Amino acid sequence: MSEPISYADFERVDIRVGTITDAQPFPEARKPAIKLWIDFGGEIGVKRSSAQLTVHYSPDRLIGRQVVAVVNFPPRQIGPIMSEVLVLGVPDENGAVVLLKPDLGVPKGGRMF
């Protein structure tokens, strides 16, 4: 079990829903990954990310999909791209990432609470 945090700590994590507008293979990554462009709507706009999703997802099947991501971590250099958000997922029984997504379509930029 992980270390407990306060509710105030949790409130500081800005988790939003975005729609993937583009997805490209990322052969330069050390581990197989896909480059993502995610639209979070007006306030946040389009942000880039890199995610190790190649076991269950192909770039063409990700476009148009809603995802959940942390949008207030500092950007992180991943090879030649700057990853601006952290897309959230959970491992399957073999450790491959399965994306988290809303059960129903929701507006871009919707904040998780």
Side-chain angles (χ1 to χ4, degrees), residues 13-31:
V13 181
D14 193 355
I15 301 172
R16 305 280 183 127
V17 172
T19 301
I20 297 173
T21 59
D22 194 9
Q24 303 286 326
F26 191 9
E28 304 91 353
R30 278 185 274 157
K31 294 182 180 177

Side-chain angles (χ1 to χ4, degrees), residues 12 45 48 50-51 55:
R12 293 180 50 215
R48 292 183 299 171
S50 167
V55 172

Side-chain angles (χ1 to χ4, degrees), residues 3-4 10-11 15 17-19 25 30-31 33-34 36 39-40 46 51 54-55 58 61 78 80 90 93 96 98 109:
E3 181 180 328
F10 174 73
E11 286 182 312
I15 301 172
V17 172
T19 301
R30 278 185 274 157
K31 294 182 180 177
I34 299 173
L36 304 172
D39 185 0
F40 292 96
V46 176
T54 58
V55 172
S58 62
R61 297 200 54 195
I78 308 224
V90 294
E93 62 276 355
V98 176

Side-chain angles (χ1 to χ4, degrees), residues 26-101:
F26 191 9
E28 304 91 353
R30 278 185 274 157
K31 294 182 180 177
I34 299 173
K35 295 183 278 189
L36 304 172
W37 287 260
I38 306 164
D39 185 0
F40 292 96
E43 179 185 332
I44 299 169
V46 176
K47 298 292 183 182
R48 292 183 299 171
S49 188
S50 167
Q52 296 172 7
L53 305 172
T54 58
V55 172
H56 294 299
Y57 307 97
S58 62
D60 60 319
R61 297 200 54 195
L62 288 168
I63 297 171
R65 180 187 189 96
Q66 286 196 308
V67 293
V68 178
V70 176
V71 299
N72 66 333
F73 284 151
R76 183 174 174 192
Q77 189 73 44
I78 308 224
I81 75 158
M82 185 65 71
S83 185
E84 301 171 292
V85 298
L86 176 65
V87 176
L88 300 178
V90 294
D92 68 10
E93 62 276 355
N94 297 313
V97 176
V98 176
L99 289 170
L100 295 180
K101 68 175 190 161

